[in-house]
């Protein structure tokens, strides 16, 4: 595709393309990988049921394959593109994090009505970034409390806003163990993906943390 044709793309076009790519990945996961895991697990169970000196190892293999299938199903759920016609981005986040193993972590929500219903090119990164930030806070940060705040400035303020003074923001704060952002290596894909999604929507992602916490992730747009 030429640079000239790409230059005509809108943020909505780019966001839609990203979601189409995720949809194709989800399709391949559903139709190719998960069925293969199912067949392998069934074969391992069948062989384990026979009188074989490797029966214990085969049962262990079956359990690993079952875990891999469950992981694949969770990935499929996270890859699928949500529709924001009947629910807002933060309602979709609430539904999705229920499927995560959050332990006894508590989620607190403070979302203005004006920030609840965003245009799709903003709703999608808002949803994806918030889910990823919550997942990181609980799994890696061992957070016990995660708070999500979403604000849109009033119209008068928004009319005079500049690129350095965005119209709205979504802030995710946790009380986890924290980390040193300067020590994060380039293979920390979660942060990279969140930043890329923010930039595709014309926004910016800011991460602030230090060892012993707290950690804050802010998507400004």
């Amino acid at each position: 595709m030429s640079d000239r044709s790409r230059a005509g793309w809108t943020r909505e076009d780019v966001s839609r393309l990203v979601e189409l790519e995720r949809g194709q990945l989800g399709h391949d996961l559903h139709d190719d990988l998960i069925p293969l895991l199912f067949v392998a697990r069934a074969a391992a169970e069948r062989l384990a049921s026979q009188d074989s000196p490797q029966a214990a190892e085969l049962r262990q293999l079956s359990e690993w394959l079952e875990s891999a299938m469950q992981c694949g199903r969770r990935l499929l759920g996270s890859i699928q593109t949500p529709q924001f016609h009947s629910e807002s981005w933060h309602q979709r986040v609430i539904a999705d994090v229920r499927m995560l193993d959050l332990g006894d972590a508590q989620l607190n929500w403070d979302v203005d009505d004006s920030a609840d219903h965003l245009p799709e090119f903003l709703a999608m990164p808002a949803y994806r970034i918030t889910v990823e930030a919550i997942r990181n806070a609980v799994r890696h940060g061992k957070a016990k409390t995660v708070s999500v705040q979403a604000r849109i400035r009033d119209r008068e303020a928004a009319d005079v806003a500049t690129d350095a003074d965005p119209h709205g923001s979504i802030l995710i704060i946790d009380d986890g163990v924290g980390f040193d952002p300067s020590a994060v290596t380039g293979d920390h894909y979660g942060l990279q993906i969140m930043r890329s999604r923010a930039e595709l929507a014309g926004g910016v992602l800011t991460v602030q943390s230090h060892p012993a916490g707290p950690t804050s992730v802010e998507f400004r747009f």
Side-chain angles (χ1 to χ4, degrees), residues 6-211:
R6 286 198 299 267
W9 285 20
T10 65
R11 290 169 184 166
E12 291 89 340
D13 293 332
V14 175
S15 177
R16 191 173 298 111
L17 179 61
V18 170
E19 292 304 322
L20 285 173
E21 289 286 350
R22 290 177 68 95
Q24 181 59 54
L25 180 59
H27 182 275
D28 294 341
L29 185 63
H30 180 272
D31 288 359
D32 297 332
L33 181 59
I34 292 179
L36 284 174
L37 291 172
F38 178 83
V39 171
R41 181 178 63 87
E45 287 182 343
R46 184 177 65 254
L47 293 172
S49 66
Q50 300 174 3
D51 187 11
S52 168
Q54 288 81 36
E57 288 86 348
L58 288 167
R59 282 192 291 271
Q60 179 64 74
L61 176 60
S62 176
E63 292 177 6
W64 286 338
L65 289 168
E66 174 63 26
S67 297
M69 286 178 58
Q70 295 299 327
C71 180
R73 293 190 180 103
R74 287 194 298 271
L75 286 172
L76 182 60
S78 67
I79 286 173
Q80 289 178 333
T81 300
Q83 302 297 319
F84 299 109
H85 305 303
S86 58
E87 59 184 351
S88 68
W89 65 269
H90 105 267
Q91 290 172 326
R92 183 68 257 172
V93 172
I94 292 174
D96 279 15
V97 296
R98 286 173 181 163
M99 297 185 294
L100 302 177
D101 184 12
L102 299 182
D104 58 354
Q106 178 180 347
L107 296 182
N108 298 324
W109 292 90
D110 183 8
V111 179
D112 281 355
D113 290 342
S114 59
D116 197 21
H117 296 283
L118 299 173
E120 186 169 353
F121 83 96
L122 287 175
M124 192 65 70
Y127 156 74
R128 298 287 189 197
I129 289 170
T130 305
V131 169
E132 181 67 17
I134 293 172
R135 180 189 292 115
N136 288 342
V138 176
R139 289 186 178 176
H140 304 299
K142 311 303 180 185
K144 296 301 181 182
T145 303
V146 183
S147 300
V148 181
Q149 305 170 11
R151 299 283 185 271
I152 299 290
R153 291 203 315 278
D154 60 52
R155 182 175 298 279
E156 181 179 353
D159 287 342
V160 298
T162 66
D163 289 341
D165 185 21
H167 297 179
S169 67
I170 298 170
L171 178 64
I172 303 101
I173 303 175
D174 71 73
D175 64 353
V177 299
F179 63 97
D180 180 2
S182 65
V184 175
T185 59
D187 60 352
H188 198 299
Y189 297 113
L191 283 177
Q192 291 185 42
I193 291 172
M194 285 194 289
R195 286 198 173 97
S196 296
R197 284 194 168 277
E199 291 170 2
L200 283 174
V204 62
L205 189 86
T206 303
V207 179
Q208 295 183 337
S209 184
H210 57 81

